[in-house]
Amino acid sequence: MKIRYQLTCLLLLVSFTTIAQTDKQATIKKMTDSIKLATLSELAVKNPALRQINISTDIISRGNISSKLYNDPLFKGKASTVRTNLLFNVPVKSWGKNSLSASVSYFQQHIQIREVQSFSPMLNNNDFVSDKSTVGLSFGIQRRDSIFGRPVFLMASVLGVTNDASSIKKLSYLGTAIFPLKQTATTRYSVGIILNIDPSLKVPVVPLFTYWHKFSNDIELNFNLPQQAGLRKAFSDRLSGTLGTSLSGSIAFFNLTQPNLPHDANYTTIDLKTGPGIEYRLGKKFMVGVNGGILTPLSARAFDRDKTSSEYFISNKLSNVLYMNFTFSVLPFLK
């Protein structure tokens, strides 16, 4: 039966050779897309930013917090935080050397402050709880090109973030140029520049440097500055471990009614997260992970939405604390 089935398939293939020829280009394109997808999936295993869906939750333990209002003491207490990020990347269209993509993000932050000791008549000594959510929508275009005979990867995007369905609270523009300098089976590095036009930033230009190297013991060294640096080791096709430091941040919007304070305000944080982690691949398209360690707060400020973060009216100083992070990701699918 199996041989008859194979012969039948062969006769059908011969009978429809002419028709198949007309579809040759479509078949080649489909094969090429499949190869690209497989390559992208393998890259996304090592780089969560390339995944189609990524859900991440930080549980940040209780630590000391002291706050100042216009550089005068406001309060101190003990703060704990839970943050959840959801990112959904959507490939929209590809043509030639160009591709168009969109992404939707959701951020939710729960802050609880206990043992409050107020230094201002504006506040009492009661525990304080804040629940804030923001939604972001981004559109980007990417292009593979060359300048002076050297390859370059170009990207431009626009990002809108809000907590109000009736308006966009923050609009920023991002441009990136990356120049690969070396690419072998064990070493890759590149340099670039990031142009971030954001009303809250005074310095819109940031240099970019990436370096990846795989040692003979299969340990991978990865620098993606200024965002992250670390080591990665694959223990099997499904299980890998990491150790490193990454830069993270958050943004929330406030509508204040107190006199002498801005009505529309942003509250932003910048943190360093350092520690080990593991990831496990479920099937072909799903990944789960957990990591933890020390969270080092670098900046926590509230400022007028129309001003830069350096013109803050509230600054919070937080102590180093322990954190745990849980992730669930989906690797790229075809459109």
Side-chain angles (χ1 to χ4, degrees):
M1 179 65 72
K2 184 176 180 180
I3 295 175
R4 287 181 60 190
Y5 175 77
Q6 291 174 340
L7 287 173
T8 303
C9 290
L10 179 60
L11 290 172
L12 286 172
L13 181 61
V14 172
S15 300
F16 290 103
T17 298
T18 304
I19 299 174
Q21 289 295 326
T22 62
D23 292 332
K24 184 177 180 180
Q25 299 229 347
T27 302
I28 293 175
K29 183 179 184 303
K30 186 175 180 180
M31 292 173 63
T32 303
D33 289 344
S34 297
I35 294 171
K36 288 181 178 179
L37 180 64
T39 303
L40 181 58
S41 292
E42 292 307 312
L43 291 174
V45 168
K46 301 178 182 180
N47 188 351
L50 299 176
R51 300 174 188 177
Q52 196 147 21
I53 299 174
N54 193 49
I55 303 171
S56 173
T57 296
D58 287 322
I59 300 175
I60 303 170
S61 64
R62 188 184 305 181
N64 297 326
I65 180 173
S66 60
S67 181
K68 290 185 177 181
L69 175 64
Y70 294 117
N71 289 323
D72 292 326
L74 182 60
F75 74 89
K76 67 178 182 178
K78 302 285 187 179
S80 59
T81 307
V82 177
R83 297 173 183 159
T84 297
N85 282 280
L86 187 151
L87 180 63
F88 180 33
N89 294 309
V90 183
V92 177
K93 184 177 178 60
S94 297
W95 69 100
K97 299 179 180 180
N98 309 292
S99 61
L100 184 66
S101 62
S103 65
V104 180
S105 63
Y106 174 79
F107 172 73
Q108 201 277 336
Q109 179 172 250
H110 174 85
I111 302 176
Q112 187 172 48
I113 302 177
R114 296 179 176 178
E115 302 178 27
V116 176
Q117 183 180 350
S118 173
F119 305 114
S120 170
M122 296 175 57
L123 294 176
N124 53 40
N125 292 325
N126 295 335
D127 292 352
F128 174 76
V129 175
S130 172
D131 285 290
K132 294 293 180 180
S133 300
T134 59
V135 176
L137 180 62
S138 174
F139 291 96
I141 184 170
Q142 301 83 34
R143 178 175 174 82
R144 303 182 307 277
D145 212 323
S146 62
I147 298 178
F148 303 118
R150 300 197 66 89
V152 60
F153 297 93
L154 304 172
M155 186 196 74
S157 64
V158 57
L159 169 65
V161 184
T162 187
N163 65 336
D164 184 353
S166 63
S167 64
I168 296 177
K169 290 293 185 71
K170 183 179 181 180
L171 193 64
S172 58
Y173 305 89
L174 186 71
T176 304
I178 301 175
F179 298 87
L181 301 180
K182 181 178 181 179
Q183 184 166 347
T184 68
T186 58
T187 303
R188 294 192 299 266
Y189 59 86
S190 60
V191 296
I193 190 169
I194 302 173
L195 175 63
N196 191 0
I197 302 176
D198 186 317
S200 65
L201 299 179
K202 269 193 170 182
V203 181
V205 178
V206 178
L208 176 67
F209 174 73
T210 67
Y211 178 85
W212 175 84
H213 180 76
K214 188 173 184 178
F215 296 97
S216 57
N217 57 4
D218 289 336
I219 292 179
E220 300 172 21
L221 174 64
N222 185 34
F223 287 96
N224 188 7
L225 303 179
Q227 185 181 9
Q228 64 180 10
L231 299 170
R232 180 181 182 273
K233 169 71 173 179
F235 300 108
S236 69
D237 292 339
R238 295 184 178 273
L239 181 66
S240 64
T242 59
L243 176 65
T245 297
S246 63
L247 189 68
S248 64
S250 67
I251 181 172
F253 301 101
F254 290 83
N255 293 322
L256 304 176
T257 57
Q258 290 88 344
N260 302 321
L261 294 182
H263 174 65
D264 289 330
N266 291 354
Y267 179 71
T268 62
T269 64
I270 301 175
D271 309 305
L272 278 179
K273 295 159 67 176
T274 304
I278 58 172
E279 272 199 313
Y280 185 77
R281 188 169 182 174
L282 300 172
K284 292 184 178 181
K285 292 297 180 181
F286 304 101
M287 298 193 71
V288 293
V290 59
N291 63 79
I294 302 294
L295 184 141
T296 304
L298 302 180
S299 174
R301 297 174 174 179
F303 52 94
D304 191 308
R305 185 161 60 92
D306 296 324
K307 297 183 178 180
T308 65
S309 60
S310 61
E311 300 174 275
Y312 57 88
F313 61 93
I314 288 180
S315 62
N316 291 332
K317 183 178 180 180
L318 298 101
S319 61
N320 293 355
V321 291
L322 298 174
Y323 81 96
M324 288 291 292
N325 172 263
F326 302 91
T327 60
F328 173 79
S329 304
V330 180
L331 299 179
F333 281 94
L334 284 171
K335 292 190 293 179

